Amino acid sequence: MRRNRWLVITMLLSIAVVILTGCGPREPSWTAFEGAANEKTFPVPKEANKTERASQSSEIDYVRYTLPGIKESDNIPEPYLQEIAAWGWKEETSQSSEGQKVFLKDGQIVHLLLYDDYFTVLVPKDKKPTANVKTIETN
């Protein structure tokens, strides 16, 4: 009887360890991406969960994504930077800083800001574009 009790306790502890290990935070895989909610041509990891979006502002449109394992003190992981480049975005290094990267593509600007366990994709809203009008002279 005493032997069975130890066997049951050992099994329960083993199951608890397996459950706790499986539920702990894990690093993002950086293998699957989709377009951001506010700029479909800018990639975000599929593992990221959209938690907040503010598009009511007349100047910016931002989306906040949670992504456990990402850290503000770290640089943007190289696989993510490679995917951003593969989607046609180029980093504007003169405007980028350690925690914020600025990317350009076809005149569109995207700011990527890293924090602990979440990041924000910020898109400045364009002012009304001005049309380039050519005058045609007739003789």
Side-chain angles (χ1 to χ4, degrees):
M1 187 73 162
R2 193 171 183 89
R3 187 176 199 188
N4 288 339
R5 177 184 279 168
W6 281 106
L7 182 61
V8 169
I9 290 172
T10 303
M11 285 179 49
L12 289 174
L13 286 175
S14 299
I15 291 171
V17 167
V18 168
I19 289 172
L20 291 175
T21 302
C23 296
R26 57 185 180 157
E27 292 293 315
S29 66
W30 307 109
T31 56
F33 298 89
E34 62 188 6
N38 55 345
E39 178 57 52
K40 297 295 183 196
T41 65
F42 190 82
V44 294
K46 280 192 175 182
E47 297 169 86
N49 295 311
K50 183 174 74 166
T51 58
E52 180 182 347
R53 180 169 187 181
S55 59
Q56 294 83 9
S57 171
S58 62
E59 296 181 15
I60 62 168
D61 183 8
Y62 77 88
V63 179
R64 179 178 168 178
Y65 292 90
T66 59
L67 188 63
I70 198 167
K71 298 294 177 205
E72 182 176 359
S73 59
D74 296 341
N75 289 325
I76 297 173
E78 192 59 35
Y80 190 23
L81 287 174
Q82 290 172 353
E83 189 68 20
I84 292 169
W87 284 42
W89 291 88
K90 300 206 181 321
E91 183 179 351
E92 181 62 38
T93 54
S94 65
Q95 295 181 8
S96 295
S97 62
E98 191 172 314
Q100 174 183 339
K101 300 292 183 193
V102 179
F103 297 94
L104 298 171
K105 178 181 175 182
D106 300 330
Q108 183 66 32
I109 298 173
V110 170
H111 297 257
L112 181 63
L113 295 90
L114 255 55
Y115 303 96
D116 290 344
D117 296 324
Y118 73 96
F119 64 94
T120 301
V121 176
L122 185 142
V123 179
K125 291 185 179 176
D126 292 337
K127 305 292 184 222
K128 290 186 178 182
T130 57
N132 291 331
V133 179
K134 267 190 181 178
T135 58
I136 301 174
E137 291 184 30
T138 57
N139 290 341

